[in-house]
């Protein structure tokens, strides 16, 4: 026990996997305390909550400050803010992206601040904040010039998080996650959704569409690596976390053709031949502005680890099937 | 005629000086048309509008989207968005800073978008978006990690401006202005207000307080240079303006003691001795995180010019007295 951990987007695949990890292994707070907390999963009314002891589910509209404030538990000790409108949807609906990705972050930060003194809050951001590849490998010192609305809202949320951190209101920490692949479940409106589909669907014997040039490189991490990063982030001492608050999580640079080759190697031609090339300019325009190679030495110094190689990611995908 | 130019913060000293310049010389639009427009000055109800032919004054609460939308003229051809909560006030009132500096920019952008296709809009930002001096001289490629709420709101406004630009909704252009000195009028709540006071007040025979160490360096521009930059910004062709939209305006790196020495040189010991050193940690903490040296070659390629030297700034201040 020792308090409640809130996870927004808690029924998404990252949120549910994180809840499972915390329910099994507990979680370490910045002050070094290891606790076995209650877990409050917040998500949309239609979300399917994982069947997991020690968790509760609440439908919370994060873009509504009153609803967020009313839902915030008195004994909250740690917040994971994962809920967001994804890239393809953000590009299609600017107002929704601002309301949820920026307004939602504002509401969560304000309610966390009201709940106690400098409570740790882990927010997920994205390599989409960069846009372009000014000088790869990128670091935390590379300029932020997002070239899609998703990246813009995430960059704005990072700025608000950083100001709450500087003011000592919330111990806010932002993780810029690589594209997570192979993401379980169904395709979603993320422009990067194909990076999971082209592995996941063929492994199930289903056709998948690849909307980008096979030469396109991406910066990726496995679901296990992404969840491990979220879990680890709360354990770093406050004084060790960088002042601005945003850290680039380790990933791997892979091309789409390398991913297809790895699928062919692990699952054979029958699977790999289920991928149909069908160029989509809208998707290529978004994903094509994302950087592909990072220097993550800051994250490594803070104890974050990434995947060993693409084979390790494929092995996870095969186990998931 | 040929349309209306809207200036928010139009009764402030930059807005009024810009209106005077446009009323005298007209203004050039990105498509090369030189026009002599109507000028609509928007400001708070208590603002004192300059007495100037061809201008109208309207009290508009820029944080109210409906009010902004209702006030936007049908024939608007160019918008200058200068209104903002300044640095010291932003640090003291986080909510107000977000509402005016970010919410106000949102409202102006939305109303400008609704008024026509890709209308040019010049927004003022600040070197406060940087925070710290990661590697001077700074360029547009230096990372944005503001260390005060003013800089945070300005950086967020830049991101929104850039997204409107990318989407082709508004031809948004952001100028990151140096600290403007010697600013006429009264001291205000900007943390950098002393940079004007220590020259302006002694020139009037009045005492001035210097709240920072004389060794502190600042990046400054004269009022004339700042207004000239605003006036020039509308004339750059759309295809020449950088994609992200933010340009660092030329300035000068001067220390506070150089400014005091220049005052002593131009106005004598009697004036310079009116400056009283009275350290203020709150002000030093804000101004001390601002960078002091920029490489402004991008701005120069686009035709922006700065002040020749500190003497030129002092000469302006003397003329203003």
């Amino acid at each position: 026990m020792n308090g409640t951990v809130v996870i927004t987007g808690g029924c998404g695949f990252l949120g549910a996997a994180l809840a499972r990890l915390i329910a099994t292994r507990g979680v370490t707070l910045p002050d070094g305390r290891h606790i076995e907390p209650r877990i409050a999963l917040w998500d949309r009314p239609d979300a399917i909550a994982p069947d997991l002891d020690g968790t509760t589910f609440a439908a919370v509209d994060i873009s509504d400050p009153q609803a967020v404030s009313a839902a915030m538990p008195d004994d909250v000790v740690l917040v994971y803010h994962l809920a967001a409108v994804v890239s393809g949807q953000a590009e299609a609906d600017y107002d929704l992206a601002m309301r949820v990705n920026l307004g939602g972050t504002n509401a969560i930060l304000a309610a966390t601040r009201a709940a106690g003194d400098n409570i740790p809050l882990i927010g997920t951001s994205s390599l989409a904040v960069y846009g372009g590849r000014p000088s790869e490998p990128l670091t935390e010192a590379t300029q932020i010039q997002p070239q899609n609305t998703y990246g813009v809202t995430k960059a704005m949320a990072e700025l608000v998080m950083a100001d709450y951190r500087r003011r000592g209101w919330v111990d806010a920490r932002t993780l810029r996650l690589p594209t997570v692949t192979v993401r379980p479940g169904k395709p979603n409106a993320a422009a990067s959704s194909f990076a999971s589909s082209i592995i996941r669907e063929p492994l199930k014997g289903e056709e998948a569409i690849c909307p980008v040039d096979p030469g396109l490189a991406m910066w990726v991490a496995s679901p296990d690596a992404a969840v491990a990063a979220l879990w680890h982030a709360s354990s770093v001492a406050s004084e060790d976390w960088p002042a601005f608050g945003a850290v680039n999580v380790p990933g791997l640079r892979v091309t789409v053709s390398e991913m297809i080759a790895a699928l062919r190697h692990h699952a054979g031609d029958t699977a790999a031949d289920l991928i149909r090339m069908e160029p989509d300019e809208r998707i290529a325009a978004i994903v094509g502005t994302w950087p592909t190679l990072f220097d993550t030495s800051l994250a490594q110094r803070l104890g974050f680890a990434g995947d060993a190689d693409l084979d390790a990611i494929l092995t996870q995908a095969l186990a998931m099937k």
Side-chain angles (χ1 to χ4, degrees), chain A:
Chain A
M1 288 297 169
N2 306 110
T4 298
V5 172
V6 170
I7 307 179
T8 76
C11 305
F13 96 91
L14 275 182
L18 177 65
R20 209 161 277 122
L21 188 60
I22 295 175
T24 313
R25 299 181 53 187
V27 70
T28 303
L29 298 179
D31 61 11
R33 264 190 309 151
H34 190 86
I35 61 168
E36 294 180 357
R38 281 184 209 88
I39 301 171
L41 303 174
W42 293 4
D43 216 309
R44 295 186 309 183
D46 59 343
I48 295 163
D51 179 20
L52 194 62
D53 281 352
T55 65
T56 57
F57 168 76
V60 181
D61 175 1
I62 60 163
S63 71
D64 176 351
Q66 271 83 45
V68 169
S69 163
M72 188 62 74
D74 289 337
D75 68 344
V76 60
V77 286
L78 172 62
V79 177
Y80 284 97
H81 177 38
L82 314 182
V85 167
V86 294
S87 50
Q89 196 180 4
E91 203 55 24
D93 192 340
Y94 175 91
D95 292 339
L96 178 72
M98 283 289 162
R99 196 163 68 241
V100 173
N101 293 3
L102 178 59
T105 301
N106 282 337
I108 302 289
L109 283 166
T112 305
R113 176 188 174 201
D117 193 27
N118 217 23
I119 291 172
L121 183 152
I122 321 293
T124 45
S125 184
S126 161
L127 49 82
V129 298
Y130 287 102
R133 296 158 196 175
S135 56
E136 294 191 321
L138 280 70
T139 71
E140 284 78 3
T142 304
Q143 80 265 39
I144 299 296
Q145 297 191 343
Q147 287 169 36
N148 50 74
T149 295
Y150 177 69
V152 165
T153 58
K154 284 296 182 183
M156 293 173 82
E158 285 190 2
L159 284 157
V160 179
M161 298 262 295
D163 213 33
Y164 267 72
R165 174 174 196 81
R166 181 186 64 82
R167 285 177 172 269
W169 289 347
V170 170
D171 185 354
R173 299 153 181 230
T174 307
L175 295 184
R176 294 185 190 137
L177 292 175
T179 295
V180 178
T181 189
V182 176
R183 186 183 276 266
K186 296 276 171 202
N188 68 10
S192 58
S193 190
F194 73 88
S196 291
S197 297
I198 59 171
I199 307 291
R200 185 183 57 222
E201 266 63 85
L203 285 179
K204 292 188 289 193
E206 292 167 15
E207 199 173 61
I209 288 165
C210 178
V212 297
D213 186 278
L216 181 83
M218 302 186 77
W219 180 247
V220 304
S222 69
D224 284 3
V227 172
L230 290 167
W231 188 76
H232 176 69
S234 70
S235 72
V236 177
S238 293
E239 62 270 25
D240 292 340
W241 199 273
F244 187 72
V247 169
N248 295 333
V249 171
L252 296 173
R253 182 191 192 277
V254 298
T255 63
V256 170
S257 49
E258 283 168 349
M259 292 174 66
I260 296 173
L263 173 68
R264 197 173 294 278
H265 176 73
H266 281 269
D269 289 343
T270 320
D273 292 344
L274 286 166
I275 302 171
R276 212 174 63 224
M277 306 311 290
E278 205 171 274
D280 181 326
E281 276 182 33
R282 195 186 56 85
I283 288 173
I286 298 175
V287 179
T289 67
W290 295 349
T292 66
L293 190 61
F294 288 78
D295 171 350
T296 54
S297 44
L298 170 60
Q300 282 160 33
R301 279 200 304 279
L302 296 174
F304 290 92
D307 298 291
D309 51 31
L310 187 52
D311 276 341
I313 295 182
L314 261 288
T315 307
Q316 268 185 51
L318 281 163
M320 194 170 83
K321 182 182 76 158

